[in-house]
Amino acid sequence: MVRRAASANYATRMFVDSGNQSGVALIQVLLITTIISLLAIRFTDTARNQLDIASKFEDRIRAQLLARSALNELIFIELSDNVQSVRVTGKEPDDLQSYKARINYWGESFAWGESISITMQDLNGLAPQRHPNHPIWRKLLHNLGLPSEDVDRYLGEFVDIQDPDVRSWRFGDIEPGKTSAGKPYLNGYAQNDVVLRWVFAESPSLLEKLLDFSDVDAPPRMNIFHSPTPLIRVLFDSDIANTIIVSRNENALNSFQLNQLLPPDFTPESTSRYTSDTHSIIVTAKAGNTVWRETNIVRLSPRAPVPFSVLSGS
């Protein structure tokens, strides 16, 4: 009887130990399975992120290539009198000749193929920063609300910084040691818009407008037909401004008619109707969810061995 009881107790303990071990093993399996599942989820999430990054990188490269191709096509069309499409195997190329009619030189955006837009500004439509004596500067500052004494002061300093002598714009005086902004006199032409920023530093709102309406590489002869619409509306009364804006879109005025339309202070020597060789070109291209935008100042040289050069880019 004692042996039977002992055997029964032993069997019971074995059963209980076996049950405990099975429970522990089950928990271990569940923990391992959970860990593996978490790792799998993490790997999947990492892989998804990597694919997303790769996709965005690919879209960026595609958008960049589209923008660069559009820039090259635009320059090619500007340098060419005629463009003829040639059929290639399995695909008809874009008719670049038809794109020529879309081009404008006064900073209004135009479409260039699918998901590409271009804004081109001929610099001869902007106020020339290296030529502060151009009549547009005085008229522009007056029309922006500056009193005559401030216009004289601003333009006098603007001229003094860039002229080669040390005579002041004030008769009988010499240039001071520094400008009103505490900057040195260059006594040479500006190389960027820093000089404009120095002269008009005390009036940020005015400076912001002048930066939009001028350029350091703008030539001394302007073409009002290429001026941005906001600049035209500042320079002229509404009737003249509307006539210029409508006429340039319809190509309805010649140089003589333009000069007859302009006020007397815009002499034929200071403005004429022509296309210069230097343009600011902004190309915006979209690929997927990525938008690429680049700005280039391009100078065309049709007769040179290298027909164009990029002066700056961003």
Side-chain angles (χ1 to χ4, degrees):
M1 291 292 294
V2 175
R3 290 182 177 177
R4 287 182 179 178
S7 299
N9 290 337
Y10 178 75
T12 300
R13 287 197 301 272
M14 290 291 292
F15 177 78
V16 172
D17 292 343
S18 177
N20 290 337
Q21 292 176 359
S22 298
V24 172
L26 178 60
I27 293 173
Q28 291 175 337
V29 170
L30 290 175
L31 286 174
I32 293 173
T33 303
T34 301
I35 292 172
I36 293 174
S37 298
L38 290 174
L39 288 173
I41 292 172
R42 182 59 180 170
F43 289 150
T44 301
D45 187 55
T46 301
R48 187 182 295 112
N49 289 339
Q50 292 297 322
L51 288 173
D52 185 53
I53 292 172
S55 177
K56 290 180 179 178
F57 185 75
E58 180 183 1
D59 287 344
R60 177 182 174 181
I61 295 300
R62 286 173 53 213
Q64 187 176 2
L65 291 175
L66 286 172
R68 187 53 55 87
S69 296
L71 175 64
N72 290 334
E73 290 172 355
L74 176 62
I75 294 173
F76 174 73
I77 286 179
E78 285 201 89
L79 293 171
S80 305
D81 293 328
N82 183 54
V83 180
Q84 183 177 1
S85 298
V86 178
R87 182 179 294 275
V88 296
T89 304
K91 182 182 179 181
E92 177 68 23
D94 293 329
D95 184 5
L96 296 182
Q97 185 65 32
S98 67
Y99 286 8
K100 197 176 185 73
R102 308 179 188 183
I103 296 174
N104 70 75
Y105 295 91
W106 47 87
E108 292 182 2
S109 177
F110 52 91
W112 196 270
E114 186 177 355
S115 303
I116 302 173
S117 63
I118 296 178
T119 300
M120 182 164 63
Q121 175 64 62
D122 190 325
L123 297 191
N124 71 359
L126 301 176
Q129 292 181 17
R130 289 178 176 147
H131 303 276
N133 285 322
H134 193 288
I136 190 176
W137 282 106
R138 185 167 296 275
K139 188 172 185 63
L140 177 58
L141 294 177
H142 272 304
N143 289 4
L144 287 173
L146 268 66
S148 296
E149 57 270 19
D150 287 344
V151 173
D152 291 340
R153 176 172 57 87
Y154 278 129
L155 293 183
E157 189 170 78
F158 205 7
V159 170
D160 280 349
I161 291 176
Q162 298 186 76
D163 64 21
D165 58 54
V166 295
R167 294 192 303 271
S168 171
W169 66 274
R170 300 181 188 275
F171 183 75
D173 288 346
I174 62 172
E175 295 171 358
K178 292 184 178 180
T179 68
S180 56
K183 305 299 182 180
Y185 280 79
L186 301 179
N187 292 324
Y189 285 125
Q191 301 303 308
N192 49 45
D193 60 18
V194 169
V195 173
L196 183 75
R197 294 179 184 274
W198 288 353
V199 174
F200 297 95
E202 64 185 32
S203 181
S205 59
L206 174 63
L207 174 60
E208 184 178 358
K209 293 178 181 178
L210 295 180
L211 287 171
D212 290 336
F213 293 158
S214 66
D215 195 274
V216 70
D217 291 315
R221 282 195 310 146
M222 286 189 66
N223 181 352
I224 296 299
F225 268 49
H226 288 167
S227 295
T229 298
L231 176 56
I232 291 177
R233 296 200 179 279
V234 169
L235 291 174
F236 308 107
D237 62 47
S238 58
D239 290 338
I240 294 178
N242 289 334
T243 300
I244 293 174
I245 292 168
V246 172
S247 298
R248 71 180 178 186
N249 290 329
E250 299 176 352
N251 199 24
L253 284 180
N254 57 37
S255 297
F256 176 77
Q257 292 170 320
L258 173 63
N259 289 326
Q260 293 296 311
L261 181 67
L262 297 179
D265 49 355
F266 281 88
T267 61
E269 292 77 21
S270 64
T271 181
S272 58
R273 189 171 185 184
Y274 75 106
T275 300
S276 77
D277 59 358
T278 309
H279 307 146
S280 172
I281 303 174
I282 302 174
V283 183
T284 304
K286 182 177 181 182
N289 294 321
T290 300
V291 176
W292 177 268
R293 175 174 172 164
E294 65 176 65
T295 302
N296 293 281
I297 304 296
V298 177
R299 176 165 292 165
L300 305 180
S301 307
R303 293 184 176 87
V306 179
F308 73 94
S309 57
V310 178
L311 302 183
S312 65
S314 60

